[in-house]
Amino acid sequence: MAKKTVIIGGVAGGATAAARLRRRDEKMEIVVLERGEYISFANCGLPYYIGDVIKSREALLLQTPEAMKKKFDIQVRTGNEVTALHPEKNTITVKDIKTGKIYEEGYDNLILATGSSPVKPPIPGIEAENIFTLWNIPDTDRIKKFLTEKRPKSAAVIGGGFIGLEMAENLHRAGLSVSVIEMQDQVMAPLDKEMAQLLHENMQENGVQLLLGDGVEKFSGDGEKTTIFLKSGKCVDADMIILSIGVRPNSQLAREAGLEVNARGGVVVNSHLQTSVPNIYAVGDVTETTHLVTGEKTMIPLAGPANKQARICADNIAGDSKTYGGTIGTAVARVFDMSAATAGLNEKILNEAGKIKGTDYEAVIINQKSHAGYYPGATPLTLKLIFEKDGKILGAQIVGQEGADKRIDTIATVMRLGGNAEDLAKLELSYAPPYSSAKDPVNMLGFVAENIRKGLVSFISVKELDELMAEPDKKDSFLILDITEDVERMVFSIPGSIHIPLGQLREQIRELDTDKLIIPYCAVGVRSYNAARILMQNGFSNVKVLEGGTSLYKTCHYTPSASEAEREGQERKEVRCAQEENIIMGEKQRPAVNEMKMQILDCCGMQCPGPIMKVNETLKTMKDGECLEISATDMGFARDIEAWCARTGNTMLGKRREGVQNIVRIQKGWFPDVQTAQADGGHDITTPGEDRQGKTIIVFDGDLDKVLAAFIIANGAAAMGRPVTMFFTFWGLNALRKTEKVKVKKPFMEKMFGAMMPRGTGKLKLSNMNMGGMGTKMMKKVMKDKNVSSLEELMKQAMAQGIKLVACTMSMDVMGITKEELIDGVELAGVASYLGDAEMSNVNLFV
C-alpha cells in the first residue's frame, strides 16, 4: 500500500520537498496544505516587483496548484490552514478558510515547512493603514496598490536588514524620498561595521537618509501622513512605512503538539531533519540548524539552505539516510549599485564569544578590482577575511559594485570543503581581462593571509587607529606615516600624520624613530605594504599597515556635507526645473557647460590615486575656462575631486552617478562667483574659493623678534577661527628645536652645524640691538613686566588652538636636524604639502 506524506506549507521548503518526493516515488500520495493563495512564489523577488525592475506579477509565481497536479500528480490545497498536530494519531486538524469546514487529515510522514513571519512588535500606532510588512504576494499587492492609488512622496523603512535595504532601493527607484531607521549602529548585521560603512556612504550618496542607533517609540498619523517618534527624541514624517525588523519561525503548531523547540522558537531537528517525533520532519526557516564554522546550533532563514534541506528530507522519506551538515550562512544582497556578500562569522560574533583579534584570530581587509584595471569598467571590491592562527577560515565579507557574488561563492566553497586561508592562494581561477585579474581578488586574500601568518606584515584597523589616537598618554608611542604622493596629500591626509612619499622613504628613513609603532598608509594598502617591508628590514620591529588605506578610512569617517535626503527631496522639487548645469556669474549668464569646449577623460578601472593623478596631468594641457568631464569607477573619486578642486583653484561644476560610474565635470581655473545647479538629481555644485580663509606663514628667519611676530599673527588668526599653517624652513627650524641636547648619530659636518646653531627658543637672539645678548634679555624683561606672553607661551597657545607647525624635511636634511631634536607636536612635510595649505589661504606671509 502506498504511503502518504502531508506537507504543511509551500514556497522554498514545501514545494521543493513535494516535487522531489514525486521524482523519488511515483506511487506515494502527496498532499500540500497552504493557508495562503499561493503555493510557490519568488519571495526574494518581491522588492524588485515593487520597484518595477520585475515588470510582471506573474513572473513571481513559480508554481500553481494546477501545474503541480498536472506535472507531479500532487494535491495542493490552498486556503487550508492546519490548526493542530496529533502525533499520537498521525493526524492533523485542518480548516478550509473559505468554507469554514474543519476536518482531519491522516499521514504516514509529515513535513513542517511553515517558514517564518515578519516581526511586528506592539508599538503604538503600528496598525495604521499606511504601515506595511513585505513577506508574501498579498503584502506585495497591498504595497503596490498603495503606491498606485495614493502616490506617496516619502517612505520610511524600519530595519536595515536584507529586505529593508532592498525595499529602500526600490522605493527610491519608484521616486520616493526614503529614510532608513535602524536600531543598531549599522545596516546589514552580518557585516562588520567598517564594511557596512561602505553601504552607509553609498546609500547617503544616493539620497537615502540614514538614522542609525535609534529605535521607534511610536507612530502617530491619520493613515496618510505618519510621524515616527524615535527613542532619541527625533521625528521622521513619512507617507508610507515598511516594517523590516526581522522574522520569527512559525513554530506554534510544533510547540503546541509537544515537539522540541529551542529558545528562539526554532523546531529542533537531527541531521536527518527529523523532529523529536521521528515521522515528523521540518525544513526551512522554522528549523534550528548547525553552523558549520562553530558547530553550534543557530537559526539562519535563507532560501538556499531551505531548498537543500527539502531535497534531503524528501530523499530520507523515500528510503535514503542522508544528513544535512549545517550552513555557513552564505548570502548576498544588492543595495543600489553595490552588492554586499557574506559567509561564516563576523568579528562582532567572535568578540561576543570572547575571541580576541591577534590572539585567537586574524582579520584582513584588502581593496581590489572586479577585473583587470586596464579593461574598461573595472570597479573596486573591498574584501575582508577572518581566519584562525592555523589558517581555518572563520568568515568572509565582500562589498563592491561587481563580482562580490562569485568571490563569496568561491570562499564559501573552500570553507565548505575544509580548505584554509592559504588554500585561497592556490586556487586556479579563470582569467581574462573582462572577468578578473591573473591574481584574482580571492587569490590576493590568500597571499595576504600567508604574509600575516609568516610575520611579513601586520595590520591595524581604522577602529584600532581611532582608539589609539584618542588616548592622550599614547600620542608619543606611535607615528602615522603617509607614503602617498604630494598630489594625494593635497586631497586628504590623516590628522597628525607625517609625509614621506614611498619613493623617498629609503633616503629619509633615519628621520623615523625605531622605538615607535610606525603606521604607514596609502590609498588602498598596496604601497603601504611595500613601505612596511622596507621599514621592517631596516630595524623597525613595530610596523602596522592601515588596512584598507585612506579609501576605507574616509568611508569610516564619512558624514554627508548636508542632509543627503533633504537635498535629494529639494532637488526633485526644484532642480529639475533648471537648465542642465547653466552657470550664473553675477547678473550675467554664462553659456551652458554643454556649449563649452568639453574634454572627456575616462578613468574607469583606475585604482586610487590614479584618477586624481590623471586629472592633474590632463588639466596641465588645458586652457583656463575649458571643461573636463571625468568618468571613474573608484568610489571615493567624486569626494576626492571636490577637495582637490578647492585646493588647486579649479571649479567643480557638478557630479552625478550613472550606473557604477561617477561622472564629474570641472572647469580649469577658479571662478569664485559661480553658482550652478544640476538637473539630474545629483549633488549640489561646489563653489571653489568659498573656504579660502586659511592663513599660511613661512618662518624662514630664526631671530627672536621675527619668530615672536609670526606666532602673534598666527594666534590672532586662529582666534578668528581661521586655519593656520606655519612652515619652518632653514634658520626658522631652530625655533622648533628642543632646548636640551638630544643624543642622535650624525655625520661630523651635521654635528658641527648643530653646535653652531641656537638650540630652541631660549637661545634665539634679536635681529637688531642684540648687543651681545643684553638687548634680548631686556626685551624678555619688558615683555614679562607688561604681561606679554613669552615665545614659549605663544607656541603652546598656538598648538592648543590647532595651528599646524610644519618642519620642512628638505631644510632639515640640509641643516642636519633630525626629528628627535624637534619639540613634540611638529609635523614633517615637504614643500608640496605646504603649497596645498597655501592654496586654501587668502593670506601668505614670509617672515
Side-chain angles (χ1 to χ4, degrees), residues 581-598:
E581 293 174 342
N582 278 353
I583 305 174
I584 309 295
M585 290 190 69
E587 297 179 357
K588 196 172 181 181
Q589 183 167 330
R590 292 172 57 91
V593 170
N594 53 20
E595 295 175 13
M596 298 179 185
K597 182 178 179 181
M598 180 71 69

Side-chain angles (χ1 to χ4, degrees), residues 235-310:
C235 293
V236 178
D237 292 329
D239 298 329
M240 68 179 298
I241 296 164
I242 304 294
L243 298 177
S244 183
I245 300 171
V247 297
R248 60 165 61 96
N250 295 326
S251 57
Q252 184 176 350
L253 284 172
R255 184 185 295 106
E256 291 175 350
L259 275 62
E260 187 180 353
V261 175
N262 69 16
R264 296 175 60 186
V267 176
V268 176
V269 295
N270 62 19
S271 62
H272 299 290
L273 299 168
Q274 294 169 299
T275 69
S276 53
V277 177
N279 67 333
I280 300 180
Y281 296 76
V283 298
D285 291 5
V286 75
T287 65
E288 174 186 83
T289 190
T290 301
H291 200 294
L292 274 177
V293 176
T294 64
E296 298 175 357
K297 299 299 181 181
T298 187
M299 304 284 293
I300 301 180
L302 293 171
N307 275 281
K308 294 173 182 64
Q309 290 171 353

Side-chain angles (χ1 to χ4, degrees), residues 593-841:
V593 170
N594 53 20
E595 295 175 13
M596 298 179 185
K597 182 178 179 181
M598 180 71 69
Q599 189 167 332
I600 305 299
L601 181 62
D602 184 0
C603 295
C604 291
M606 287 187 180
Q607 189 111 318
C608 180
I612 290 286
M613 304 285 281
K614 194 72 175 175
V615 169
N616 190 46
E617 293 171 10
T618 304
L619 280 184
K620 289 178 182 177
T621 67
M622 296 171 60
K623 298 177 180 177
D624 280 356
E626 291 183 343
C627 297
L628 180 66
E629 180 176 283
I630 312 107
S631 56
T633 47
D634 181 70
M635 287 298 293
F637 171 70
R639 175 185 55 211
D640 288 348
I641 196 69
E642 232 174 325
W644 184 85
C645 281
R647 299 193 74 169
T648 57
N650 293 293
T651 306
M652 181 87 167
L653 297 177
K655 61 182 178 180
R656 66 184 188 276
R657 292 290 286 276
E658 288 185 3
V660 299
Q661 295 184 13
N662 294 291
I663 310 296
V664 174
R665 286 183 174 182
I666 62 178
Q667 189 172 20
K668 183 171 180 178
W670 174 28
F671 300 96
D673 298 321
V674 170
Q675 294 179 346
T676 60
Q678 283 180 297
D680 54 19
H683 286 44
D684 292 341
I685 292 164
T686 302
T687 304
E690 287 180 347
D691 56 352
R692 291 171 177 267
Q693 299 297 316
K695 318 296 177 188
T696 49
I697 303 173
I698 300 175
V699 184
F700 173 82
D701 212 310
D703 294 328
L704 175 62
D705 46 339
K706 294 178 182 178
V707 177
L708 271 169
F711 273 99
I712 290 170
I713 295 169
N715 279 321
M720 295 172 65
R722 304 293 189 252
V724 179
T725 296
M726 300 181 72
F727 189 73
F728 293 80
T729 183
F730 286 97
W731 313 113
L733 287 169
N734 290 316
L736 300 180
R737 294 181 72 188
K738 293 176 180 175
T739 54
E740 68 276 9
K741 188 174 182 179
V742 178
K743 291 185 178 180
V744 288
K745 291 183 179 180
K746 289 185 184 182
F748 176 75
M749 191 65 72
E750 293 183 8
K751 283 185 179 179
M752 291 294 292
F753 255 102
M756 291 188 290
M757 292 187 299
R759 186 183 296 118
T761 55
K763 299 293 184 180
L764 301 185
K765 300 175 181 178
L766 293 178
S767 59
N768 288 297
M769 296 176 59
N770 184 52
M771 298 181 295
M774 284 296 297
T776 302
K777 290 180 180 178
M778 290 170 63
M779 170 71 77
K780 289 181 179 180
K781 184 177 188 311
V782 170
M783 289 174 62
K784 185 176 181 180
D785 292 344
K786 294 184 178 293
N787 290 319
V788 176
S789 298
S790 67
L791 177 55
E792 292 79 8
E793 290 169 336
L794 288 170
M795 292 176 74
K796 288 180 181 178
Q797 292 169 13
M799 288 189 279
Q801 290 195 86
I803 292 174
K804 194 156 60 169
L805 307 185
V806 181
C808 174
T809 51
M810 182 276 293
S811 298
M812 288 173 66
D813 285 341
V814 173
M815 307 292 284
I817 297 175
T818 65
K819 177 170 173 52
E820 290 79 8
E821 294 176 275
L822 300 182
I823 61 175
D824 294 335
V826 175
E827 297 182 26
L828 306 185
V831 174
S833 178
Y834 159 74
L835 290 175
D837 287 342
E839 289 285 354
M840 297 299 291
S841 301

Side-chain angles (χ1 to χ4, degrees), residues 372-391:
Y374 57 82
Y375 187 88
T379 58
L381 272 176
T382 303
L383 303 93
K384 180 171 185 175
L385 187 71
I386 305 169
F387 56 95
E388 289 183 340
K389 293 292 187 178
D390 63 359

Side-chain angles (χ1 to χ4, degrees), residues 87-107:
E88 71 284 354
K89 299 191 297 182
N90 286 345
T91 64
I92 57 176
T93 300
V94 187
K95 178 181 179 180
D96 187 321
I97 295 173
K98 290 182 180 178
T99 66
K101 177 185 175 183
I102 296 175
Y103 64 93
E104 285 203 355
E105 188 82 26
Y107 60 83

